[in-house]
Amino acid sequence: MFSSGEELVTYFSEICSCPCGTLTMIITDYSMGIGKMNGVETLLAIREKGFKGPIILRTSEDREALNKLHGNFENLLETKEIECLLNKQNHLETKSTIYELLRNTNDQ
């Protein structure tokens, strides 16, 4: 658990330099604190550093608002830069999505 996108990016950079460190998936919230990186900025930074696994973006923002805030948002979904977009109020959907992604990752 990280209190900001910056902390997550720093952690990811540290484990990338260690041969024992791996991440299966990343789950990030869109809002990560005032004056801090949001979830989209965070996931783009993580992708730039080489993370290939699934990233789940949880948010209470609707898709239209995210499209206005990030002109390339739909493209991020289409190209699977964001594996899936989840409403953070729907805990059952979040749980089942995580389970499915972990199952698919382990099957590969």
Side-chain angles (χ1 to χ4, degrees):
M1 301 290 279
F2 302 94
S3 63
S4 71
E6 290 85 351
E7 284 183 21
L8 175 57
V9 171
T10 299
Y11 175 77
F12 183 75
S13 297
E14 290 170 2
I15 66 166
C16 282
S17 63
C18 172
C20 61
T22 60
L23 291 175
T24 303
M25 81 172 59
I26 293 174
I27 304 166
T28 185
D29 198 336
Y30 180 76
S31 297
M32 300 182 78
I34 296 172
K36 298 183 179 185
M37 294 171 73
N38 64 47
V40 172
E41 294 164 339
T42 300
L43 72 88
L44 290 172
I46 294 291
R47 291 289 189 213
E48 188 175 291
K49 292 190 177 292
F51 182 70
K52 303 288 187 219
I55 297 177
I56 296 172
L57 179 64
R58 296 179 65 236
T59 185
S60 55
E61 302 288 333
D62 65 25
R63 201 167 174 151
E64 185 176 322
L66 292 169
N67 282 320
K68 287 179 183 176
L69 292 167
H70 305 279
N72 64 338
F73 189 76
E74 287 299 322
N75 187 52
L76 295 173
L77 291 168
E78 288 173 21
T79 60
K80 296 291 188 184
E81 295 295 312
I82 302 172
E83 183 72 28
C84 59
L85 175 66
L86 298 175
N87 181 318
K88 70 180 186 179
Q89 303 303 319
N90 190 335
H91 302 292
L92 185 58
E93 180 185 25
T94 299
K95 182 179 175 180
S96 65
T97 300
I98 292 168
Y99 173 79
E100 191 65 29
L101 287 172
L102 286 173
R103 191 172 65 100
N104 289 341
T105 300
N106 290 332
D107 289 345
Q108 293 177 359

